[in-house]
Amino acid sequence: MEILLCNGYDEISEKAAAILADTVKENPAAVLGMATGSTPEGMYKRLIERYEAGTLDFSAVETFNLDEYYPLAAENEQSYHYYMNEKLFKHINVKPERIHILNGEAKDADAECKAYSNAIAAAGGIDLQILGIGENGHIGFNEPGEYLHADVHKTALTESTVNANARFFATRDEVPRYALTVGIGDILRAKKILLLASGKAKANAIRALLDDRITTSLPASLLKTHPNVVLICDRAAFGEE
Ligand code: F6R
């Protein structure tokens, strides 16, 4: 795993945006795996700036988001559909039909997951996967546990994740208790992975990620089996502050 140690959040955002922009310049039809949450927001801002400056064209890219709460309507302001539209998609020229996000209102969650897997395969797989990391070491909504799932699936959120994400909702009770998420196998099939981590709250997860063990109790540790992962983190997440 390559590590890019940064002096703060802005540097993380700039480095991540630069790598994503280079990927799209090299391959205008790149398939991008997108993440939500606080961490990638700065990267998305910088991508919008590049688009507005005319240096980046998203017209041929295809995107697949990692996950979506379940059940939750796309119009709900806490949904990842809403987030992606507000933070990135409505500001750039990505084609709506090339945007894929799991449907948090699907009646048949299993069928929705299967269709999403098929769509990723039909696109030729993910070229660049953006990831954040949970305080508990989750990636996507692959939560720590006795076992992990390889494929797109419905999952229960852990208490730790419900607590961490309650900050986005009016009350903790409003946080959906389930999500649809790509699996660890889907993530590991990406050609390249960028893992972004900022702040002290992530230091325990990053410390555990950087020792030699691989365990389902730290889902991000599976990334150590992938040949092309770049960890972009600040000193606080690295445990130096
Ligand atoms: C988001 C996702 C999650 C987040 C993680 C970190 O699509 O899949 O794994 O990346 O929970 O969230 P933040 O960035 O808010 O700390």
Side-chain angles (χ1 to χ4, degrees):
M1 185 175 304
E2 184 185 350
I3 301 174
L4 301 180
L5 192 54
C6 300
N7 282 319
Y9 180 68
D10 286 347
E11 198 181 334
I12 294 178
S13 303
E14 181 49 36
K15 283 205 160 68
I19 293 173
L20 192 148
D22 284 348
T23 302
V24 174
K25 281 179 193 158
E26 272 163 34
N27 174 13
V31 180
L32 304 173
M34 301 304 215
T36 57
S38 305
T39 315
E41 283 190 26
M43 176 191 75
Y44 291 143
K45 276 199 190 115
R46 283 166 170 75
L47 292 174
I48 294 166
E49 282 165 16
R50 285 167 163 82
Y51 168 70
E52 287 174 346
T55 58
L56 197 51
D57 175 15
F58 292 93
S59 61
V61 304
E62 188 156 4
T63 69
F64 286 88
N65 264 79
L66 280 169
D67 42 21
E68 179 57 287
Y69 289 113
Y70 188 86
L72 198 64
E75 298 75 43
N76 188 302
E77 292 189 11
Q78 305 312 329
S79 78
Y80 290 165
H81 277 79
Y82 192 90
Y83 171 108
M84 286 308 297
N85 200 38
E86 291 300 312
K87 308 281 183 205
L88 183 66
F89 293 150
K90 76 176 188 189
H91 305 284
I92 61 173
N93 64 340
V94 59
K95 297 220 166 70
E97 65 273 19
R98 289 178 166 271
I99 295 171
H100 306 268
I101 307 182
L102 282 151
N103 178 6
E105 290 178 286
K107 290 229 158 47
D108 183 341
D110 289 343
E112 173 65 14
C113 293
K114 189 86 203 122
Y116 204 71
S117 279
N118 291 342
I120 296 174
I126 308 284
D127 293 308
L128 180 69
Q129 177 66 59
I130 307 298
L131 292 178
I133 184 169
E135 291 172 26
N136 65 1
H138 74 205
I139 47 177
F141 274 133
N142 294 279
E143 299 281 34
E146 197 185 327
Y147 57 85
L148 298 170
H149 289 265
D151 300 323
V152 188
H153 62 285
K154 179 181 160 190
T155 186
L157 303 186
T158 59
E159 284 303 297
S160 151
T161 297
V162 171
N163 291 338
N165 290 9
R167 70 190 194 276
F168 297 115
F169 291 81
T171 66
R172 187 180 182 280
D173 284 348
E174 283 178 29
V175 184
R177 295 310 199 253
Y178 294 89
L180 305 182
T181 180
V182 302
I184 291 291
D186 298 297
I187 292 172
L188 292 178
R189 277 190 290 276
K191 293 181 188 82
K192 179 170 181 159
I193 298 173
L194 291 191
L195 175 63
L196 315 184
S198 174
K200 222 175 174 170
K202 304 295 169 69
N204 284 340
I206 296 300
R207 188 178 317 114
L209 173 68
L210 293 177
D211 81 18
D212 188 45
R213 277 169 289 188
I214 294 175
T215 164
T216 58
S217 60
L218 190 89
S221 68
L222 272 290
L223 295 173
K224 286 182 267 196
T225 65
H226 190 283
N228 196 1
V229 178
V230 183
L231 167 64
I232 310 182
C233 74
D234 56 23
R235 292 184 186 280
F238 199 66
E240 281 190 1
E241 275 173 8

